[in-house]
Amino acid sequence: MANVIQYSTIIQNELDKMAIQESCTGWMEANAGQVKYNGGKEVKIPVLSTQGLADYKRANNEGFVQGGVNLSYKTYEMTQDRGRAFGIDANDVDETGFVLTASSILGEFQRTNVIPEIDAYRLSKLATIATSASMGADGYTPAAATIVQKIKEGIKAIRQKGYNGPLVCQITYDALMEVELYMAGKLASQTFSVGGFNTTCPSIDGVPLLQTPENRMYTAITLYDGETTGQEAGGYIKATTAKEVNFIISATSTPLAISKQDSLRIFDPTVNQKFSGWAMDYRRYHDLWVKDQQKKTLWVNTK
């Protein structure tokens, strides 16, 4: 069936859009332009350093003191290589109905499984990096009387490290509710753009507060392999020793996130050798990194 390639291309394009626009962390992929990616698992991330100001020498027309610039690339490997295969029996759907059925199946899979897992992985990694850089506070249960102060303390901690650029705050629904109760209708709002899609969200001191489900806000997660007994459902769970995160503040330029979907493969019943029906293979590489010099532009607050 000649249209199978067209089907897979159309469906894949829609899945890629959804992965950015419906993800709570889709904004992090805007920084992927800094990364060199030529396929496979490896990426190269630029590391730039310059020397500081020197005295301008007027005597003898010497003028400027030559400074040094060091630009190098550090190689990283995408550690997240995840996928699933799905099948639809030939008796359950014809070729015309297959397009709608496949789109529905993969769309639901993307919304309920793929996007939450990618979000949870990215946020847990940021939380771990912030904690290792001593940029965070724990043991806090959100309360209306203190939540705004806690957020402001996080913003202040990052500003005191010398970063004055834009920030964003991923915050749980429970924590945000306490913010709204404290502000009592006086909470400012602003527009935040993700993948060309603008959304209006509350903000504190010009920092947008992005509502994030609690089940994506952990300091660590355990990924299920889909085969081991007890892990057949796949996906992820909160790691045994993980803490629940109230909010994470980050410079918008700090997380370098990449998510690459391998070509979606669709096999019609005449080609599929495993069973009589349509088969679909979905695979996605993804990961997130933070440059060493930017680790102090993160702040995590946990319970």
Side-chain angles (χ1 to χ4, degrees):
M1 298 182 183
N3 287 330
V4 168
I5 294 177
Q6 291 178 310
Y7 297 159
S8 62
T9 300
I10 293 171
I11 294 172
Q12 181 168 338
N13 288 339
E14 291 304 310
L15 292 176
D16 285 340
K17 290 180 185 177
M18 185 190 302
I20 295 177
Q21 293 184 349
E22 296 195 14
S23 167
C24 295
T25 61
W27 61 271
M28 299 179 186
E29 295 190 36
N31 299 323
Q34 302 178 47
V35 178
K36 284 188 174 183
Y37 178 71
N38 296 314
K41 286 189 174 184
E42 287 191 347
V43 299
K44 295 182 183 296
I45 297 176
V47 179
L48 175 66
S49 62
T50 60
Q51 292 179 317
L53 288 169
D55 288 341
Y56 183 84
K57 296 184 179 181
R58 295 189 179 186
N60 302 319
N61 295 319
E62 292 184 30
F64 297 98
V65 177
Q66 183 64 43
V69 177
N70 182 34
L71 175 62
S72 60
Y73 282 86
K74 190 172 182 179
T75 300
Y76 293 86
E77 184 175 294
M78 281 193 279
T79 62
Q80 303 304 297
D81 186 356
R82 306 279 280 169
R84 268 294 193 186
F86 296 98
I88 306 173
D89 192 279
N91 293 323
D92 293 336
V93 62
D94 58 19
E95 181 180 1
T96 302
F98 166 75
V99 180
L100 294 175
T101 303
S103 297
S104 298
I105 291 173
L106 292 172
E108 182 69 9
F109 174 62
Q110 187 93 321
R111 274 188 296 271
T112 61
N113 299 103
V114 178
I115 291 174
E117 180 177 312
I118 292 175
D119 282 346
Y121 174 79
R122 289 173 177 172
L123 293 168
S124 68
K125 193 162 184 179
L126 287 182
T128 298
I129 293 171
T131 300
S132 67
S134 300
M135 293 294 288
D138 61 6
Y140 173 67
T141 299
T146 54
I147 183 63
V148 173
Q149 177 185 341
K150 294 295 183 182
I151 294 173
K152 284 178 172 285
E153 287 174 354
I155 295 171
K156 177 183 175 183
I158 294 174
R159 297 300 189 206
Q160 285 183 325
K161 297 299 181 181
Y163 179 79
N164 293 310
L167 299 170
V168 62
C169 177
Q170 304 270 174
I171 186 169
T172 64
Y173 283 87
D174 284 347
L176 182 57
M177 183 181 71
E178 298 300 330
V179 171
E180 293 171 337
L181 289 173
Y182 177 78
M183 299 300 288
K186 298 178 182 179
L187 192 60
S189 63
Q190 68 181 76
T191 300
F192 189 76
S193 179
V194 179
F197 178 77
N198 292 329
T199 183
T200 300
C201 54
S203 66
I204 292 177
D205 293 348
V207 178
L209 307 178
L210 303 186
Q211 301 177 74
T212 309
E214 277 77 359
N215 63 0
R216 304 182 197 182
M217 295 280 275
Y218 304 128
T219 57
I221 61 172
T222 296
L223 296 172
Y224 279 175
D225 61 22
E227 293 183 320
T228 302
T229 301
Q231 298 188 22
E232 294 91 345
Y236 74 96
I237 61 170
K238 175 186 175 185
T240 305
T241 59
K243 296 179 181 178
E244 296 177 6
V245 174
N246 296 315
F247 60 85
I248 298 175
I249 302 173
S250 170
T252 56
S253 59
T254 290
L256 300 175
I258 284 186
S259 179
K260 297 293 183 181
Q261 181 179 317
D262 200 3
S263 296
L264 180 64
R265 302 195 305 170
I266 297 178
F267 303 95
D268 66 53
T270 63
V271 176
N272 181 19
Q273 301 296 311
K274 293 184 178 179
F275 61 92
S276 177
W278 298 82
M280 299 173 288
D281 291 345
Y282 177 102
R283 186 180 183 187
R284 184 170 289 275
Y285 294 110
H286 72 93
D287 216 321
L288 175 144
W289 306 272
V290 172
K291 296 179 183 178
D292 290 340
Q293 63 268 38
Q294 292 182 307
K295 291 180 179 179
K296 295 291 186 179
T297 60
L298 295 169
W299 183 266
V300 61
N301 181 285
T302 62
K303 291 184 179 179

